[in-house]
């Protein structure tokens, strides 16, 4: 058969024999070709998946860098535009006292930080310095159950005492019954406190509870800042802090 297959003869029988042999060899070799192709395809798919993962990680990294750059630009702009003496600081960790909702920042008395100094971000007030150490300080957060803040509702000017309610919301109590308050109104510090300068942003009105028979309204306030994700904050230094 091999002699006929490779001979130079060109008779009809030889041609027919050759064609059939080729068909047989092709049929036999198809599974081998399919296995080789499947193996090659599997390797290519693995490489493609690896490339897709690498590209996905690069895109995520670029998005994070863009977001981080925008966040830092916002912090710089806030510091430049504000007339207050602001000391930038980084959040080190959550507070160590179990009965106080707090966090720890990386500035203290050496940088001019004193107890009760207001702490805020470009989005609003988030607390005050509770304990100032030499190089770090503990901040009592606005979400602490014992935290209170005297605020004013804009534009009508009604005042009240703000306290934490939960789920990034606060309540303002002691607001007069006849006060004209609307959802979307701004909430700022009133300036009545010796701690907080007036007109620092706090949040926006998200709801109004007007109970029958009550002499006051309860105003719900949405806090813009995500307290759980804080990375950078500003301490508002008073004149005595700076002069010292």
């Amino acid at each position: 058969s091999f002699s006929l297959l490779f001979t130079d003869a060109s008779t009809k029988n030889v041609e027919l024999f050759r064609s059939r042999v080729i068909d047989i060899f092709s049929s036999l070799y198809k599974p081998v070709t399919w296995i080789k192709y499947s193996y090659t395809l599997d390797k290519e798919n693995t490489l493609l998946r690896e490339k897709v993962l690498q590209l996905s990680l690069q895109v995520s990294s670029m998005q994070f860098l863009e977001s981080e750059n925008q966040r830092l630009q916002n912090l710089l702009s806030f510091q430049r535009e504000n007339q207050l003496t602001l000391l930038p600081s980084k959040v080190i960790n959550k507070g160590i006292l179990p009965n106080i909702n707090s966090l720890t920042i990386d500035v203290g008395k050496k940088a001019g930080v004193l107890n009760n100094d207001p702490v805020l971000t470009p989005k609003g007030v988030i607390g005050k310095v509770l304990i100032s150490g030499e190089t770090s300080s503990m901040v009592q957060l606005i979400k602490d159950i014992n935290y209170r803040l005297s605020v004013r509702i804009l534009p009508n000017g009604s005042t009240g005492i703000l306290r934490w309610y939960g789920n990034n919301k606060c309540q303002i109590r002691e607001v007069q019954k006849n006060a004209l308050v609307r959802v979307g109104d701004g909430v700022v510090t009133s300036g009545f406190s010796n701690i907080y300068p007036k007109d620092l942003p706090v949040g926006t009105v998200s709801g109004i509870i007007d109970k029958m028979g009550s002499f006051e309204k309860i105003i719900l306030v949405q806090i813009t800042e995500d307290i759980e994700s804080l990375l950078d904050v500003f301490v508002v230094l008073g004149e005595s802090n700076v002069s010292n």
Side-chain angles (χ1 to χ4, degrees), residues 16-35:
L16 180 61
F17 177 74
R18 284 176 175 172
S19 65
R20 289 185 176 176
V21 169
I22 290 170
D23 289 340
I24 293 170
F25 270 98
S26 298
S27 300
L28 292 174
Y29 202 71
K30 275 182 180 179
V32 178
T33 304
W34 183 83
I35 292 171

Side-chain angles (χ1 to χ4, degrees), residues 138-177:
M138 179 177 292
V139 176
Q140 182 187 20
L141 292 172
I142 195 172
K143 65 185 296 185
D144 183 64
I145 192 171
N146 297 310
Y147 185 90
R148 299 291 184 271
L149 180 62
S150 176
V151 296
R152 185 185 302 277
I153 304 168
L154 301 178
N156 75 320
S158 298
T159 59
I161 303 299
L162 179 140
R163 66 195 70 186
W164 186 254
Y165 179 68
N167 195 26
N168 259 28
K169 286 186 174 65
C170 293
Q171 286 186 350
I172 303 176
R173 301 258 182 175
E174 301 176 22
V175 178
Q176 291 182 358
K177 183 81 168 178

Side-chain angles (χ1 to χ4, degrees), residues 28-198:
L28 292 174
Y29 202 71
K30 275 182 180 179
V32 178
T33 304
W34 183 83
I35 292 171
K36 287 176 64 178
Y37 176 76
S38 298
Y39 177 73
T40 305
L41 190 62
D42 187 57
K43 286 183 66 177
E44 289 179 352
N45 285 337
T46 301
L47 289 173
L48 286 172
R49 284 195 296 269
E50 185 178 346
K51 287 290 183 184
V52 168
L53 179 59
Q54 289 175 351
L55 289 172
S56 177
L57 291 173
Q58 288 177 6
V59 169
S60 297
S61 177
M62 291 174 67
Q63 289 175 338
F64 171 77
L65 290 174
E66 182 181 6
S67 174
E68 184 71 2
N69 182 53
Q70 185 61 49
R71 185 177 66 83
L72 293 175
Q73 284 183 355
N74 291 338
L75 290 173
L76 288 172
S77 298
F78 177 73
Q79 190 173 16
R80 289 195 202 102
E81 295 169 3
N82 209 293
Q83 300 301 313
L84 301 169
T85 303
L86 301 174
L87 177 66
S89 62
K90 290 192 173 296
V91 175
I92 301 173
N93 55 34
K94 297 295 178 69
I96 57 176
L97 299 179
N99 60 333
I100 298 176
N101 208 313
S102 61
L103 52 79
T104 306
I105 56 176
D106 66 348
V107 291
K109 292 177 181 177
K110 287 185 177 180
V113 178
L114 300 177
N115 290 356
N116 290 328
D117 281 347
V119 181
L120 69 160
T121 71
K123 295 181 179 180
V125 174
I126 58 101
K128 67 177 182 179
V129 174
L130 188 66
I131 303 172
S132 59
E134 290 298 316
T135 58
S136 61
S137 302
M138 179 177 292
V139 176
Q140 182 187 20
L141 292 172
I142 195 172
K143 65 185 296 185
D144 183 64
I145 192 171
N146 297 310
Y147 185 90
R148 299 291 184 271
L149 180 62
S150 176
V151 296
R152 185 185 302 277
I153 304 168
L154 301 178
N156 75 320
S158 298
T159 59
I161 303 299
L162 179 140
R163 66 195 70 186
W164 186 254
Y165 179 68
N167 195 26
N168 259 28
K169 286 186 174 65
C170 293
Q171 286 186 350
I172 303 176
R173 301 258 182 175
E174 301 176 22
V175 178
Q176 291 182 358
K177 183 81 168 178
N178 61 350
L180 183 60
V181 181
R182 297 184 177 91
V183 172
D185 284 353
V187 179
V188 298
T189 51
S190 66
F192 295 158
S193 167
N194 293 326
I195 297 176
Y196 298 92
K198 67 177 182 177

